[in-house]
Amino acid sequence: MKICVIGCGYLGAVHAASMAELGHDVVGIDVDEAKIALLSSGHPPFVEPGFDEVLARNVESGRLTFSTDYAATADCELYFIGVGTPQRRDSHGADLTYVHAAVEGLLPYLREGDVVVGKSTVPVGTAAELAPAVEAKGACLVWNPEFLREGFAVKDTLEPDRIVYGLPNDPQLARRAQAALDTCYAKILADGTTPRLLMDYQTAELVKVSANSFLATKISFINAMAQACDAVGADVAKLAEAIGLDDRIGKKFLRAGIGFGGGCLPKDIRAFHARAAELGLDETFNFLTEVELINESQCGRAVDALNEMTGGLEGKRVAVLGAAFKPNSDDLRHSPARTIARLLEERGADVVVTDPGAGPILAAQGDIDVAIDATTAITGADAVLLATEWKEFSELDPQALAPLARGKVVLDGRNALDAQKWKDAGWTYRGIGRR
């Protein structure tokens, strides 16, 4: 198939490259000329494991091209919309400016029989609002939400755990949309192991935001339990292990830490709550406010713990290991590590940050001291905070680092370190909800 992907940010660029990897001819469209130039040269504009190889391979093969001109979409059969839906400046709701602009820019190029596929995370009701303009051109709209995890985005696109089709109510249009997506995803669906779920627009739109809201709730729950463990001297890691063995609960997303961040969970739960309020369901979903409050409180609690462990932060040098919201990424959006670094500075601490992915971005911004690696950051530090569980951080040798630090204090903000190993090396160790 000849496919167009509108929006070449994190979602769109990965999807475009992955569709080319499946053998389709793909053109990516974006208004950012610098981004398009970088992608066209086969170089990724962000850190994502495996993406650079897939991008370079398909650009070189000619199956994948990029442009700022909608005219490049001529003869495409399938048009994916993968633009961002950031939080609005005046509320918690989603800003659909880019979604509407993508559809409006595409309309002049749509032909009878074309299929437009929404992938962006949008408030429920958006697809029904957009569909009439698309159908007026003889095309049809289907909503196909993404479920990407940063650090696993290519795998999640090529080997998804499910594929959702939000289909129009008109049976003829629904059949056309379903057939087009079935052809697009034929290689993924071929062995019959990937569930393909057919539903209406509204349900498909709710799938992504409900999944993110549930995951955020699970994280905040275990962080609340970590606070309880701190209060009574219990161990949240062992608690999580025990309750995770219940298959009704499961082990995933039960690691206590300094909180969730990134470009999806924080904005998506806010946007969902805002939309629920518009639907008269504000009180029903008020628990999402508590989920967010628990998440936000983790950063302050981490700073309080460091203050206690160091006997006061004023004038103390703190090495923060990690800046991106999760490992194998350079994404700094809603990063708990950055929030903690700011709070530490407000308490009078001298902060140095290091991050294998986001370090160069922070260094370019120039508003915080950035070290090239963990050893450099820890040298002369009074305290160490593990803020992002990069493998190179979790595998550090505390025995070798001990002579370099001025104070052997470590707060394991992700409960990813071997506590006993650090204690045996002479460090004062504390985790989140564990000692």
Side-chain angles (χ1 to χ4, degrees):
M1 300 182 79
K2 187 168 182 182
I3 293 172
C4 168
V5 178
I6 301 172
C8 293
Y10 182 82
L11 164 61
V14 170
H15 193 72
S18 298
M19 294 304 97
E21 186 75 359
L22 291 176
H24 302 298
D25 291 321
V26 183
V27 56
I29 302 292
D30 199 284
V31 297
D32 188 331
E33 294 182 0
K35 185 190 298 177
I36 289 298
L38 200 60
L39 289 166
S40 296
S41 67
H43 294 93
F46 48 79
V47 173
E48 176 60 37
F51 175 60
D52 48 353
E53 294 96 335
V54 173
L55 174 67
R57 180 165 55 247
N58 287 285
V59 167
E60 184 178 356
S61 74
R63 284 194 300 270
L64 178 60
T65 59
F66 296 92
S67 177
T68 58
D69 188 354
Y70 274 90
T73 67
D75 301 324
C76 287
E77 306 164 71
L78 208 55
Y79 297 85
F80 285 95
I81 297 175
V83 297
T85 53
Q87 185 176 318
R88 290 172 52 182
R89 294 183 179 181
D90 60 349
S91 73
H92 283 174
D95 184 349
L96 297 180
T97 300
Y98 302 114
V99 172
H100 287 289
V103 173
E104 290 168 8
L106 178 60
L107 287 176
Y109 300 92
L110 289 179
R111 302 161 303 169
E112 183 78 29
D114 286 343
V115 176
V116 178
V117 187
K119 291 205 72 69
S120 303
T121 302
V122 296
V124 61
T126 302
E129 179 185 346
L130 296 172
V134 173
E135 292 173 6
K137 303 294 291 188
C140 66
L141 178 70
V142 56
W143 217 262
N144 174 220
E146 54 87 12
F147 304 102
L148 304 187
R149 300 166 297 164
E150 290 196 37
F152 302 91
V154 174
K155 182 179 186 298
D156 287 346
T157 304
L158 296 175
E159 302 173 33
D161 53 16
R162 78 280 206 194
I163 299 178
V164 170
Y165 297 178
L167 300 167
N169 291 328
D170 182 288
Q172 184 176 352
L173 295 180
R175 284 193 295 271
R176 185 201 305 173
Q178 181 180 331
L181 281 181
D182 282 350
T183 301
C184 177
Y185 295 135
K187 288 186 177 180
I188 297 174
L189 297 170
D191 63 5
T193 61
T194 302
R196 185 200 59 179
L197 307 174
L198 309 181
M199 56 193 69
D200 54 48
Y201 287 153
Q202 293 88 339
T203 308
E205 290 166 326
L206 283 171
V207 169
K208 176 63 186 293
V209 293
S210 60
N212 278 355
S213 296
F214 183 81
L215 294 176
T217 301
K218 197 170 182 181
I219 295 168
S220 283
F221 170 80
I222 200 62
N223 280 333
M225 293 311 302
Q227 294 182 25
C229 287
D230 278 335
V232 301
D235 186 329
V236 75
K238 293 189 179 299
L239 183 149
E241 180 183 11
I243 65 174
L245 290 172
D246 186 329
D247 60 10
R248 296 169 302 174
I249 297 172
K251 297 179 179 180
K252 293 183 177 180
F253 283 76
L254 282 181
R255 177 185 284 178
I258 55 176
F260 58 78
C264 289
L265 259 62
K267 78 171 182 68
D268 286 355
I269 63 172
R270 291 170 188 166
F272 182 33
H273 197 184
R275 182 65 177 127
E278 293 172 354
L279 297 171
L281 300 172
D282 189 28
E283 290 188 9
T284 303
F285 288 96
N286 267 344
F287 73 91
L288 291 178
T289 299
E290 299 304 318
V291 166
E292 189 171 6
L293 288 174
I294 293 170
N295 189 61
E296 291 176 348
S297 73
Q298 290 301 103
C299 291
R301 292 179 68 85
V303 173
D304 288 341
L306 283 168
N307 186 67
E308 178 187 331
M309 294 170 76
T310 58
L313 288 165
E314 183 73 34
K316 300 292 175 61
R317 186 166 178 81
V318 180
V320 178
L321 307 185
F325 86 98
K326 69 180 296 186
N328 302 314
S329 171
D330 61 352
D331 194 343
L332 293 166
R333 291 175 294 177
H334 299 286
S335 167
R338 293 196 77 183
T339 298
I340 290 173
R342 176 180 53 79
L343 293 173
L344 287 169
E345 289 182 330
E346 290 176 359
R347 295 277 194 103
D350 175 22
V351 179
V352 57
V353 177
T354 184
D355 190 287
I361 299 174
L362 286 177
Q365 293 174 352
D367 58 354
I368 196 166
D369 188 7
V370 179
I372 192 170
D373 55 28
T375 300
T376 305
I378 292 171
T379 299
D382 296 288
V384 176
L385 166 67
L386 177 66
T388 310
E389 62 272 37
W390 285 88
K391 184 178 180 181
E392 44 263 73
F393 296 158
S394 61
E395 294 181 350
L396 286 169
D397 181 358
Q399 193 74 49
L401 293 170
L404 304 177
R406 189 162 57 196
K408 293 190 286 293
V409 169
V410 59
L411 177 62
D412 184 359
R414 294 298 181 182
N415 287 352
L417 300 177
D418 184 331
Q420 195 58 52
K421 186 177 179 180
W422 283 77
K423 291 175 184 177
D424 290 345
W427 291 77
T428 299
Y429 170 93
R430 184 183 297 185
I432 305 299
R434 64 194 292 242
R435 299 292 177 107

